[in-house]
Amino acid sequence: MMPEFNIRPLQKDDFEAWNRLWQGYLTFYEASLSDEVTHTTFERLCDPKTTDQNALVAEQDGALIGLVHFIFHAHNWQTARVTYLQDLYALPEARGIGLGRALIESVYAAADANGTPSVYWMTQDFNAEARKLYDRVGTLTPFIKYTRA
């Protein structure tokens, strides 16, 4: 039997639990952010006036075990806006229970409800375990990402 979990919007009183997940996500990608960026990100994700930046969390037995952040934005190659799934993370002990798929499908549902059903995301090439899931729920594109030098 699969362990049950609930996916819900991020709430203001989730900061400590969300931040533990956020820091785990950043550690996985060997990244670090200032406290200012972390707090600003959290505030934006919880602000009902910031409708383009969104977050859902997965909760099990009263504890947060996963998160997903996504952004609605305009696109220059189509008239419809699109959805960028920016961050996805599950605690290591919560992997293998369908949590990643459920979080992605929750973004799909939010994107559909928002009228922005085109959803895309990126991952590091070394993220082999997650890519197995992504190959089942998405389509790999040939794009290579560059950033400003």
Side-chain angles (χ1 to χ4, degrees):
M1 186 170 144
M2 293 292 249
E4 290 192 26
F5 52 84
N6 177 49
I7 297 176
R8 63 168 175 78
L10 183 67
Q11 300 169 353
K12 282 272 195 189
D13 61 351
D14 288 330
F15 179 76
E16 294 301 323
W18 170 87
N19 193 37
R20 281 190 293 279
L21 293 170
W22 182 237
Q23 295 306 318
Y25 175 75
L26 294 174
T27 298
F28 177 80
Y29 280 113
E30 299 177 356
S32 62
L33 297 173
S34 69
D35 288 344
E36 178 185 12
V37 170
T38 292
H39 286 280
T40 300
T41 296
F42 182 79
E43 290 302 316
R44 287 177 181 159
L45 292 170
C46 290
D47 184 352
K49 294 181 204 142
T50 307
T51 58
D52 284 347
Q53 221 168 334
N54 300 276
L56 299 170
V57 291
E59 187 174 43
Q60 184 179 56
D61 299 326
L64 296 190
I65 60 170
L67 63 76
V68 65
H69 304 151
F70 53 101
I71 300 169
F72 302 131
H73 67 89
H75 196 286
N76 292 335
W77 287 24
Q78 60 191 43
T79 57
R81 291 167 55 84
V82 299
T83 304
Y84 174 45
L85 190 161
Q86 188 169 29
D87 309 305
L88 175 68
Y89 182 73
L91 289 174
E93 60 270 22
R95 295 178 189 161
I97 63 171
L99 181 57
R101 176 185 286 271
L103 286 165
I104 291 170
E105 289 176 351
S106 293
V107 172
Y108 288 172
D112 290 346
N114 190 60
T116 54
S118 178
V119 178
Y120 71 100
W121 63 94
M122 296 180 287
T123 193
Q124 296 279 357
D125 62 350
F126 65 77
N127 196 358
E129 282 304 308
R131 290 183 67 189
K132 289 176 190 175
L133 168 63
Y134 301 161
D135 287 341
R136 291 191 303 270
V137 299
T139 302
L140 178 63
T141 71
F143 280 89
I144 298 169
K145 179 186 174 192
Y146 286 84
T147 60
R148 184 177 179 172

